[in-house]
Amino acid sequence: MKLSDEIINSLSINLRKKIKNITNNSINIEEIRIRVNKPLIINGDSKDYFYNDMTGDLDLVMKNPYIVTKEDIEDTFQIICKYSVHSFIDDIKKGFITLRGGHRIGIVGKVIIENGQVKNIKHISSLNIRISREIKGSAKKVLQHVIKNKNQINNTIIISPPQCGKTTILRDIVRNISNGNREYGFKGVKVALIDERNEIGGSCMGVPQLDVGIRTDIMETCPKDLGIMMVLRSMSPDVIVTDEIGSEKEIKALYTALNGGVSLITTVHGDSIEDIQNRKELKRLLDGDLFRKAIILSSRNGPGTVEKIYDLQEKRWYFGN
């Protein structure tokens, strides 16, 4: 699949030529992994491919690999920082930089700590370029369970293993409940999106690069527990949406929002209902007093596969595709 110019132009000149030279470009590229003195690896269709420096192919078995140099990483890092690293220091401290288009570049290296906080990351050793693609309509099969009536939603939790499409589906849910949905007679509500890792809206310089709807306000790169309290006080949301709830503080913040009359949608890492119930800090999410519907995703038939839907209050299963 052809990569956007934003991705291509973020690479060093050397890497740019190689990525452009890929011959088997039908692969749905998801990540470009750049590690110093290691092979150039492209992740696509949930598989790792090695760049073949002789043929320009992507091979599942390492053969004639291109070994990434320190210069490749340094040049790429300078480009994504627009040759002004200090201007991006706040993003660097969080471990990633977001490009136009919502693409996110993860940064790994020597972490400088000061007073218990990350001050900087130096001597960059790895970069992970994650390709952002929004798939409008990906939430179509679950909307009937999320939407309650013409102006209300069911509190919903999405349970999914990593890289199974939960953020993609969550984004499409947000777009639908923010814009409104004619099929279900849903008018559209005010949504506060706590986008701690800037994956859902993919904001760049404060502007969301992905479609999250017309009534959505985004609190980006903010800890979820703090963000929830901030939007409750300032934005009068009808719905609060977050990604990857996990800590006790975050769960307490969800209960505070619920007591304030706000509806909730969130995601959590897990393989099943049973998996969540076996984890002490997350078990209370499934008690039925916080969330009404649980959507379980799997990778069985590709990312975004809805395996099951469970009503946490009525204790009954629905089945997806």
Side-chain angles (χ1 to χ4, degrees), residues 3-21:
L3 293 173
S4 70
D5 290 341
E6 189 67 33
I7 292 293
I8 296 294
N9 294 333
S10 70
L11 299 168
S12 69
I13 293 175
N14 184 36
L15 292 176
R16 197 178 305 171
K17 290 177 181 176
K18 296 184 183 301
I19 296 299
K20 279 185 174 181
N21 194 40

Side-chain angles (χ1 to χ4, degrees), residues 84-119:
S84 180
V85 173
H86 71 276
S87 298
F88 286 82
I89 194 65
D90 288 339
D91 291 324
I92 293 168
K93 288 191 291 187
K94 294 182 177 74
F96 62 88
I97 293 174
T98 303
L99 303 177
R100 278 190 290 270
H103 313 292
R104 195 177 69 168
I105 301 184
I107 303 165
V108 173
K110 182 178 180 179
V111 178
I112 309 301
I113 302 291
E114 187 174 279
N115 297 323
Q117 302 293 321
V118 176
K119 182 182 179 183

Side-chain angles (χ1 to χ4, degrees), residues 63-250:
K63 184 164 49 175
N64 305 313
Y66 174 73
I67 304 300
V68 175
T69 67
K70 184 69 172 173
E71 289 73 23
D72 288 328
I73 291 179
E74 289 175 350
D75 291 350
T76 300
F77 184 62
Q78 287 294 329
I79 291 169
I80 65 175
C81 292
K82 304 185 187 304
Y83 298 97
S84 180
V85 173
H86 71 276
S87 298
F88 286 82
I89 194 65
D90 288 339
D91 291 324
I92 293 168
K93 288 191 291 187
K94 294 182 177 74
F96 62 88
I97 293 174
T98 303
L99 303 177
R100 278 190 290 270
H103 313 292
R104 195 177 69 168
I105 301 184
I107 303 165
V108 173
K110 182 178 180 179
V111 178
I112 309 301
I113 302 291
E114 187 174 279
N115 297 323
Q117 302 293 321
V118 176
K119 182 182 179 183
N120 198 358
I121 302 178
K122 294 184 176 181
H123 307 305
I124 309 302
S125 58
S126 298
L127 297 172
N128 177 26
I129 302 174
R130 298 189 66 180
I131 315 303
S132 176
R133 292 190 181 94
E134 57 183 342
I135 304 176
K136 293 184 178 181
S138 59
K140 184 175 178 60
K141 294 182 179 180
V142 303
L143 281 176
Q144 63 181 308
H145 297 281
V146 175
I147 292 174
K148 186 175 183 180
N149 54 44
K150 65 181 180 181
N151 58 11
Q152 287 184 305
I153 68 157
N154 288 310
N155 293 345
T156 303
I157 183 169
I158 300 172
I159 301 170
S160 168
Q163 293 188 305
C164 283
K166 66 182 180 303
T167 302
T168 300
I169 285 180
L170 182 64
R171 183 187 301 118
D172 201 46
I173 291 173
V174 171
R175 181 179 65 84
N176 275 275
I177 65 175
S178 176
N179 288 344
N181 185 290
R182 289 184 181 181
E183 182 179 352
Y184 296 104
F186 190 72
K187 294 183 176 180
V189 293
K190 294 178 291 182
V191 180
L193 175 58
I194 316 302
D195 200 1
E196 182 172 5
R197 298 196 297 178
N198 205 15
E199 287 185 299
I200 308 169
S203 296
C204 180
M205 306 298 286
V207 179
Q209 304 294 293
L210 305 169
D211 188 355
V212 289
I214 60 174
R215 297 180 181 86
T216 301
D217 303 301
I218 304 176
M219 190 72 77
E220 60 175 290
T221 66
C222 177
K224 288 181 278 289
D225 56 317
L226 298 179
I228 289 169
M229 303 310 297
M230 291 169 71
V231 297
L232 278 174
R233 290 192 293 261
S234 62
M235 301 307 294
S236 66
D238 298 307
V239 181
I240 290 178
V241 178
T242 75
D243 202 1
E244 298 182 10
I245 282 291
S247 74
E248 186 65 27
K249 281 199 231 180
E250 292 165 355

Side-chain angles (χ1 to χ4, degrees), residues 1-4 7-8 11 18-33 40-49 51 56-58 103 128-133 163:
M1 180 175 285
K2 188 179 186 306
L3 293 173
S4 70
I7 292 293
I8 296 294
L11 299 168
K18 296 184 183 301
I19 296 299
K20 279 185 174 181
N21 194 40
I22 293 173
T23 54
N24 49 342
N25 59 3
S26 62
I27 295 168
N28 183 31
I29 296 177
E30 298 162 2
E31 295 181 340
I32 301 173
R33 291 277 186 169
L40 175 60
I41 296 178
I42 312 295
N43 182 276
D45 301 323
S46 301
K47 298 176 183 176
D48 280 340
Y49 292 88
Y51 179 81
D57 288 337
L58 296 180
H103 313 292
N128 177 26
I129 302 174
R130 298 189 66 180
I131 315 303
S132 176
R133 292 190 181 94
Q163 293 188 305

